[in-house]
Amino acid sequence: MLKSAAVVGAYGAGLAVMPRLNQARAAPEPIEINAFTDAVMLDGKQQTRGVMRYAFSGQASGDPQPPVLRARRGEPFAARLLNRLDEPTTLHWHGIRLPNSQDGVPFVTQPYVYPGDTYDYAFAPPDAGTFWYHPHCNTLTQMGQGLAGVLVVEDARDPTFDGEVVLNLRDFRLGGDGQFIEQFKPRDAAKTGTFGTLRTANWQREPRYDVPAGGLVRLRILAADVTRLYNLRLSGAQAEIIAFDGHPVPQRMALDMAVVAPGQRLDLAVRVADAEGMEMVLEDIRPSTPKVVARLRAVGSSLKRSLGDLGPLAENAGVEADLSSATEIPLLLSATAENAARDSICGSIGYSFWAINKIPYPGDTPDPTAPIAELKLGKTYLLNLENVTPHAHPIHLHGMNFKAIASNKRAVQPLVSDTYLVLPDEKVQLALVADNPGDWVFHCHVIEHQKTGMTGYFRVS
Ligand SMILES: [Cu+2]
């Protein structure tokens, strides 16, 4: 069971049947999150029309990027989505182990939210770390045009840093006139996915943040792009990886280069340079597309801190897999020639290029395909993923965590995660304890792959 199952069950699952009066007493006032369209200066020169934004209710213009939400481990968190878009949407809480009814997948866990309507989400996040939120409806357009924000779950037992910088990495696909161009090209959707034209961190090109000289800074990085994989390196400072995909790593390691795929998060402890004015550069060194992502600048006199001063992050629940009794589930990731795409407001972009176990998902429709597999609550499974395509797929599971056990391509670290980047020709085993009941979607987080078939779901009961 989940470490905090009692909390999750008593709070989240119970909410749906409680009268409103009790809900008001049990839950905090929900954070109101407006989803709306706006004109925003993205390229520094011209207003881009039709940018999709999240903002707290009442928040005027100001910073156009989605706000960083903050919650506390184990404590009730509530958000009310106000849909001011002119199309349906939902909110999904990526990486959070929550009751199935709060997961935000249209038709699978909830109806989609019509324009003008609201929808209340409530849960108590059982894990601390860096997570995120985004729509799960017409996702390529809605995420591509702006909807994706960071959700930080705090734990008072975490060590104290001298500063924190949150980086939400994403591209926008703009033409020379600063307006959105077609979100994808079918021939690219059938390969790596279609790349954006403007690369940003926090919706800015190569932003620079001041951090205390000689201090210890927590850098929380989210790859929110719909397509791009990052090979991240930080020059000019010592840095250690302290968490990946929200969860503390078993052993901190110096950051040489870290691959961060769509949907994934990287937490770094950075020991800032001592000399005032020194710059540290976060770069994407992927060979085809080297690029500065963001800069940090040391300010003030040196705090003379050491990475060795830093205590451990508060632990999250692990994946207590009983491998001796595990049931193996083969999961073949492949291309497909069959076109299964069905029309749906939230679902399809009109093509099928990809499949899981040779079945291309038809899209988010009222009658989706059968589950990939039916899992027994509490039992251990080994997901035997095999990628027979020449492209990498960051595969994401909702509602539960897994742990990589073995790969034919590399030495895997036993990291607890919700997203695993399956390399071309890789066979990988992921251990999973089916500890959360419901229908949980499992899909590639290259959104064009997700939306053209590489999606399915597990039923846990
Ligand atoms: Cu993929």
Side-chain angles (χ1 to χ4, degrees):
M1 292 299 290
L2 299 180
K3 202 173 188 180
S4 303
V7 175
V8 171
Y11 178 70
L15 261 189
V17 293
M18 279 187 197
R20 279 202 77 78
L21 200 65
N22 283 352
Q23 180 174 335
R25 199 167 54 205
E29 271 298 299
I31 296 165
E32 293 196 338
I33 302 174
N34 270 297
F36 62 106
T37 56
D38 200 0
V40 174
M41 187 102 74
L42 294 171
D43 67 357
K45 301 185 293 259
Q46 34 203 353
Q47 295 275 333
T48 303
R49 294 183 298 275
V51 175
M52 293 189 181
R53 292 184 53 189
Y54 287 132
F56 295 142
S57 190
Q59 179 186 323
S61 48
D63 186 355
Q65 68 157 327
V68 175
L69 298 182
R70 292 194 179 256
R72 286 178 176 275
R73 183 211 299 270
E75 293 184 14
F77 171 85
R80 175 167 298 156
L81 168 67
L82 294 87
N83 184 5
R84 306 275 184 255
L85 304 171
D86 56 11
E87 60 182 66
T89 190
T90 64
L91 276 180
H92 168 59
W93 310 90
H94 184 123
I96 303 285
R97 298 182 298 133
L98 39 55
N100 195 239
S101 61
Q102 307 302 302
D103 195 43
V105 181
F107 302 114
V108 177
T109 72
Q110 67 160 91
Y112 51 64
V113 184
Y114 281 98
D117 280 0
T118 65
Y119 198 89
D120 285 354
Y121 295 90
F123 51 87
D127 300 311
T130 305
F131 300 93
W132 63 300
Y133 62 103
H134 64 78
H136 227 277
C137 176
N138 195 12
T139 317
L140 186 61
T141 298
Q142 292 188 10
M143 276 180 56
Q145 294 187 199
L147 297 184
V150 174
L151 169 61
V152 171
V153 181
E154 297 174 336
D155 187 312
R157 295 169 298 167
D158 277 348
T160 306
F161 290 82
D162 304 308
E164 180 175 284
V165 175
V166 179
L167 294 178
N168 180 345
L169 308 186
R170 56 158 311 130
D171 300 356
F172 292 93
R173 259 179 77 71
L174 306 179
D177 59 355
Q179 303 310 309
F180 286 111
I181 53 177
E182 57 182 3
Q183 191 62 49
F184 76 103
K185 297 176 184 163
R187 68 169 184 276
D188 289 338
K191 293 179 184 166
T192 54
T194 310
F195 288 93
T197 60
L198 176 69
R199 299 183 58 167
T200 71
N202 294 342
W203 292 34
Q204 299 166 61
R205 273 188 290 187
E206 303 182 19
R208 187 176 68 189
Y209 298 96
D210 287 348
V211 288
L216 295 174
V217 169
R218 183 169 184 163
L219 198 50
R220 298 179 185 265
I221 301 169
L222 161 67
D225 193 55
V226 295
T227 305
R228 187 176 300 282
L229 279 68
Y230 298 83
N231 291 8
L232 295 178
R233 184 177 70 183
L234 184 72
S235 60
Q238 282 178 286
E240 285 182 352
I241 297 174
I242 55 172
F244 201 74
D245 288 343
H247 303 283
V249 294
Q251 272 198 308
R252 290 180 188 171
M253 60 203 105
L255 173 69
D256 175 20
M257 186 274 289
V259 178
V260 187
Q264 296 194 295
R265 291 85 68 206
L266 175 69
D267 280 55
L268 300 176
V270 178
R271 201 298 190 171
V272 179
D274 286 299
E276 171 139 41
M278 277 281 289
E279 273 201 354
M280 295 138 277
V281 184
L282 184 71
E283 296 169 283
D284 176 10
I285 57 166
R286 225 168 159 73
S288 54
T289 53
K291 188 82 181 148
V292 171
V293 173
R295 297 170 202 273
L296 303 176
R297 182 175 62 177
V299 296
S301 51
S302 177
L303 298 177
K304 300 207 164 105
R305 298 258 270 157
S306 158
L307 279 170
D309 298 344
L310 208 58
L313 297 178
E315 273 183 41
N316 286 341
V319 174
E320 303 301 328
D322 174 11
L323 296 182
S324 66
S325 73
T327 302
E328 302 196 20
I329 300 174
L331 292 164
L332 184 74
L333 307 179
S334 67
T336 184
E338 179 196 340
N339 196 341
R342 284 213 295 275
D343 265 0
S344 140
I345 286 171
C346 279
S348 164
I349 58 174
Y351 298 87
S352 297
F353 296 123
W354 307 97
I356 297 176
N357 287 347
K358 303 203 168 159
I359 297 171
Y361 200 68
D364 296 323
T365 64
D367 52 345
T369 54
I372 301 169
E374 302 206 16
L375 313 184
K376 284 206 171 66
L377 190 63
K379 236 183 107 34
T380 296
Y381 293 87
L382 278 172
L383 309 181
N384 290 336
L385 280 153
E386 181 176 5
N387 178 6
V388 296
T389 82
H391 303 288
H393 300 286
I395 287 282
H396 169 50
L397 175 64
H398 288 211
M400 295 176 286
N401 292 324
F402 51 70
K403 187 160 69 176
I405 299 290
S407 160
N408 67 331
K409 294 276 276 192
R410 47 181 159 169
V412 292
Q413 300 228 31
L415 300 177
V416 174
S417 174
D418 52 71
T419 307
Y420 184 92
L421 180 65
V422 194
L423 300 174
D425 304 317
E426 183 172 12
K427 291 183 196 177
V428 64
Q429 272 194 320
L430 307 177
L432 166 73
V433 181
D435 57 5
N436 202 354
D439 287 349
W440 298 109
V441 181
F442 179 73
H443 63 84
C444 183
H445 228 286
V446 170
I447 304 298
E448 286 155 83
H449 295 177
Q450 172 197 352
K451 287 299 197 183
T452 58
M454 198 173 279
T455 300
Y457 65 98
F458 294 107
R459 176 162 292 162
V460 179
S461 59

